[in-house]
Amino acid sequence: MLLGQYDYSIDPKGRLNFPAKFREDMGETFIVTRWLDDCLVAFPKEEFQQMAQLLMSKGITKNRDVQRFLFAAATEVEPDKQGRILLPAKLREHAGLDKEVTIIGNMNHAEIWNTQAWNQRQETMDSESIAQAIDALDF
């Protein structure tokens, strides 16, 4: 399970350290693509394939835009010996990744955020809105 928050800097070539604690769960290579809230997502290949199968089972016409959003931008990455992954320019642009980056664990995937955007997002997650979300889930 991917847990925690890690802060890094992305270099001018688009290389980003990926948390050592996450690399073992992600496998030798994993998939990075666009995600909700203008961040990126990293899935182990098996998880990404399961999501693809789920989407295909729902019918093409119902979710074609979701498929396009996720799969057109997806790339397979392999951490180098220093644990860095190379993020394509289009993905960096989508998430506004230019310098400071925050990577968070979110159960079966990691999210890659512009640190300023992540901090702003956290400000909107107050206790009351979280309590309402928990109630809506019948948790």
Side-chain angles (χ1 to χ4, degrees):
M1 182 177 292
L2 302 173
L3 305 169
Q5 174 178 320
Y6 302 87
D7 296 315
Y8 296 103
S9 294
I10 195 164
D11 74 15
K13 294 180 181 180
R15 295 176 300 192
L16 172 66
N17 283 330
F18 202 78
K21 289 185 177 186
F22 290 1
R23 290 195 303 266
E24 185 175 318
D25 288 338
M26 298 299 281
E28 287 186 29
T29 66
F30 51 93
I31 306 299
V32 177
T33 192
R34 296 179 286 203
W35 198 234
L36 309 173
D37 302 316
D38 297 324
C39 69
L40 302 180
V41 65
F43 279 105
K45 285 196 314 190
E46 299 80 21
E47 291 283 342
F48 196 72
Q49 289 170 345
Q50 288 177 5
M51 183 176 56
Q53 291 172 347
L54 177 64
L55 286 170
M56 289 187 323
S57 75
K58 301 297 182 184
I60 292 173
T61 58
K62 288 183 180 179
N63 65 42
R64 64 186 180 266
D65 286 338
V66 173
Q67 291 177 9
R68 290 171 183 151
F69 179 78
L70 294 174
F71 295 96
T75 188
E76 187 172 348
V77 298
E78 180 176 4
D80 65 14
K81 291 179 182 176
Q82 288 80 35
R84 299 173 300 186
I85 59 172
L86 178 62
L87 296 174
K90 287 281 188 190
L91 287 177
R92 295 191 315 265
E93 182 180 316
H94 170 80
L97 303 180
D98 53 7
K99 182 92 174 124
E100 302 303 316
V101 175
T102 298
I103 302 174
I104 64 166
N106 195 346
M107 295 187 292
N108 69 338
H109 64 275
E111 295 177 4
I112 303 169
W113 287 80
N114 170 295
T115 298
Q116 184 177 4
W118 171 246
N119 291 339
Q120 290 172 345
R121 181 72 180 159
Q122 284 188 304
E123 290 175 11
T124 66
M125 295 187 291
D126 61 57
S127 296
E128 185 59 33
S129 63
I130 298 299
Q132 290 172 3
I134 289 172
D135 285 346
L137 293 170
D138 294 325
F139 187 66

